[in-house]
């Protein structure tokens, strides 16, 4: 077998160039098919990564800790005291990049024109500036100065709907600790521009200011945790759960199911795409190879007449397909690497900002060249391609040796 | 007379079934001995190619027996028939005899390769037979760069190189002009005379028939005459 391979390789190689047009068609079909798979895979990974990054950076963090029950019904009864000494020690560990505490409670925001539902966010501006991208999204006015700052920062779309603006006053209302409705007016000091859901959903003020407004001492709604490496998230949260067994610590995957499912869906989607591309490629490969085999029926008859066994004919033709598809795979992989390399500066999707916002995506997609998936998909396409080319090869191996003698008539 | 290389006993070949059945061979009894130089003639459709296919182990009879170098074809499977062709029989066909992407010497080496002959020996033997058929200096030409007569010589060289028991040629001169036909016949006659190689040549070219030492005529799937001279 190995010896036959060695002898037939030059023969197979020369046979490939007998019909340059057909060879080129197959090369194009395979290389473009593989390119689309590799590019798509890289693009989607980058897309998922960027939407994940965007969401995690915005407010979610790598995960959060709440009092038990808060996630089911976030209300003023479901708050928790500031982190215990044990939890603080666990959070200050070097394996955690940063953390901060927040108030996050449902309420309404009222202007002269409208009353809209909102989540009242009491934050520590200094810490937020380190762990959240939101302070960087201010388009008007200023972000909060400190935890005592009793200005309010609203989203652009919210400001438009409320017909308010910088320097105007709005009223925040929420259930206070005494069970009665707490309300207080706040100066609008800043406007941020994020995705519409975030703009419509949050009103930010200083942590202490929010606690005072709601009649709280130092209770908080959530602890946001940021990790250096997303891969460690499960291990780190296990550690945090041990440090605070009576609290509810959840990773981003548990907090944002949409994001988590996009993540796994995209992983599955690439295989669906691979299936589609491969089906088209298979049609192309089988067609051209069948044509090539039919044209050479007489020649395969000759080979059989000379005493070449059917399985050697099969080997020869399969070798031809393996080289042809292999060359297509190499070309496709090279073009893909080139494409990704040429786009390494990032693809700016801000022109499609609305669509990007709806899909919770980031505005700039950074594609990465991932050798693992390159090798995986290239080899997969190559092997599957050889697999379908076995059919034409079998046809060739069944050529009748009698053909060679009968050609005369 | 020594043991025959080929024996045919009551060989019948029927193509198709029922009303459409064609009796291409209708009971052929025939022997070929080592050193025979025979031509097989007869009208078109008389069964020459079908008979050569049987003798060449390319096909098996519907009824009757064919033996080649002591091997009964009737008992052999496709793979065994392949091996028999590879080791015992040389073929020269009418046209498209050669593998187009291989040079003259590579075409000859190809059958040695199939026999797992060592590479160095392949080249040596291939070059030697090409010289015997008068193609010295043409070793590296592809078939497309050779005349029809030269291509047929390469085919003869390839048929000889494995030292077969018998060489079968079906209409080997049909695509050649009279000069090239005559040269090819001279070559085969000489190889027969010098090396004792057994040839059976199917033809309807009268000038070819004249060259043989044994002449067979076929009619309607039967041997109608068998003359030696
Ligand atoms: N594979 C086949 N299928 C059907 N008929 C065939 C086949 N091969 C040969 N024949 C028929 O058998 C007869 C003998 O053909 P052949 O041996 O080719 O004759 P010749 O070589 O003398 O011209 C012809 O009638 C031919 O049509
Ligand atoms: Mg014929």
């Amino acid at each position: 077998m190995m010896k036959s391979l060695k002898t037939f390789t030059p023969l197979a190689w020369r046979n490939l160039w007998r019909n340059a047009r057909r060879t080129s068609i197959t090369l194009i079909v395979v290389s473009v098919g593989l390119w689309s798979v590799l590019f798509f895979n890289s693009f989607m990974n980058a897309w998922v990564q960027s939407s994940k990054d965007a969401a995690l950076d915005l407010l979610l963090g790598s995960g959060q800790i709440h009092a038990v029950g808060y996630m089911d019904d976030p209300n003023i009864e479901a708050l928790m005291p500031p982190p215990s000494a044990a939890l603080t020690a666990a959070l200050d560990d070097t394996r955690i990049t940063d953390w901060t505490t927040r108030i996050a409670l449902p309420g309404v925001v009222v202007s002269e024109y409208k009353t809209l539902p909102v989540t009242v966010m009491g934050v520590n501006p200094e810490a937020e500036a380190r762990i959240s991208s939101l302070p960087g999204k201010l388009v008007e006015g200023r972000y909060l100065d400190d935890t005592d700052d009793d200005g309010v920062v609203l989203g652009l779309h919210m400001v438009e709907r409320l017909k308010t603006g910088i320097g105007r006053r709005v009223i925040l209302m929420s259930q206070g600790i005494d069970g009665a409705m707490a309300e207080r007016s706040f100066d609008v000091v800043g406007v941020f521009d994020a995705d519409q859901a975030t703009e419509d959903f949050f009103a930010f003020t200083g942590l202490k200011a929010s606690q005072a407004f709601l009649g709280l001492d130092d209770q908080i709604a959530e602890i946001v945790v940021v990790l250096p490496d997303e891969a460690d998230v499960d291990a780190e949260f296990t550690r945090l759960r041990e440090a605070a067994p009576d609290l509810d610590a959840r990773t981003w995957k548990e907090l944002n199911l949409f994001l988590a499912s996009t993540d796994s869906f995209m992983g599955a989607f690439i295989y669906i795409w691979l299936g589609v591309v491969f089906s088209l490629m298979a049609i192309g490969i089988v067609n051209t190879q069948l044509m090539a085999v039919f044209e050479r029926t007489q020649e395969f008859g000759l080979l059989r007449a000379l005493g070449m066994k059917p399985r050697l004919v099969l080997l020869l033709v399969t070798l031809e397909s393996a080289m042809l598809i292999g060359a297509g795979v190499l070309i496709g992989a090279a073009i893909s690497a080139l494409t990704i390399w040429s786009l390494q500066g990032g693809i700016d999707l801000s022109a499609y900002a609305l669509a990007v916002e709806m899909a919770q995506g980031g505005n700039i997609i950074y594609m990465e060249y991932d050798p693992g998936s390159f090798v995986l998909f290239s080899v997969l396409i190559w092997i599957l391609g050889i697999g379908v080319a076995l059919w034409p090869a079998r046809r060739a191996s069944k050529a009748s040796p009698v053909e060679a003698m009968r050609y005369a008539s | 007379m020594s043991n025959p290389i080929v024996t045919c006993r009551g060989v019948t070949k029927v193509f198709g079934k029922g009303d459409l059945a064609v009796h291409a061979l209708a009971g052929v009894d025939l022997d070929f001995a080592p050193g025979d130089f025979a031509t097989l003639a007869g009208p078109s459709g008389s069964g020459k190619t079908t008979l050569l296919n049987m003798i060449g182990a390319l096909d098996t009879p519907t009824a009757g027996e064919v033996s080649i170098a002591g091997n009964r074809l009737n008992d052999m499977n496709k793979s065994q028939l392949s091996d028999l062709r590879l080791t015992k029989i040389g073929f020269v066909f009418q046209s498209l005899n050669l593998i187009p992407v291989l040079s003259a010497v590579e075409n000859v080496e190809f059958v040695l390769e199939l026999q797992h002959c060592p590479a160095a020996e392949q080249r040596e033997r291939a070059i030697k037979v090409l010289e015997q058929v008068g193609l010295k200096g043409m070793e590296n030409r592809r078939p497309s760069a050779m005349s029809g007569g030269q291509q047929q010589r390469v085919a003869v060289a390839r048929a000889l190189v494995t030292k077969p028991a018998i060489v079968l040629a079906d209409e080997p001169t049909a695509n050649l002009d009279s000069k090239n036909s005559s040269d090819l016949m001279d070559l085969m006659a000489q190889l027969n005379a010098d090396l004792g190689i057994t040839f059976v040549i199917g033809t309807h070219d009268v000038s070819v028939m004249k060259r043989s030492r044994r002449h067979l005529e076929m009619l309607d799937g039967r041997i109608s005459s068998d003359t030696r001279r």
Side-chain angles (χ1 to χ4, degrees), chain B residues 49-66:
Chain B
T49 297
T50 307
L51 180 58
L52 286 169
N53 283 344
M54 299 295 148
I55 301 172
L58 293 168
D59 210 348
T60 46
T62 313
E65 282 189 18
V66 179

Side-chain angles (χ1 to χ4, degrees), chain A residues 400 402-403 405-406 408-409, chain B residues 13-16 20-25 40-53 59 170-171 202-204 218 220-221:
Chain A
S400 157
V402 178
E403 290 294 322
M405 276 241 185
R406 276 193 61 76
S409 41
Chain B
K13 183 70 182 181
V14 184
F15 293 107
L20 296 172
V22 178
H23 292 258
L25 295 178
L40 182 63
S44 179
S46 58
K48 302 182 294 292
T49 297
T50 307
L51 180 58
L52 286 169
N53 283 344
D59 210 348
D170 194 14
E171 312 272 7
T203 186
H204 48 241
M218 284 195 82
D220 296 336

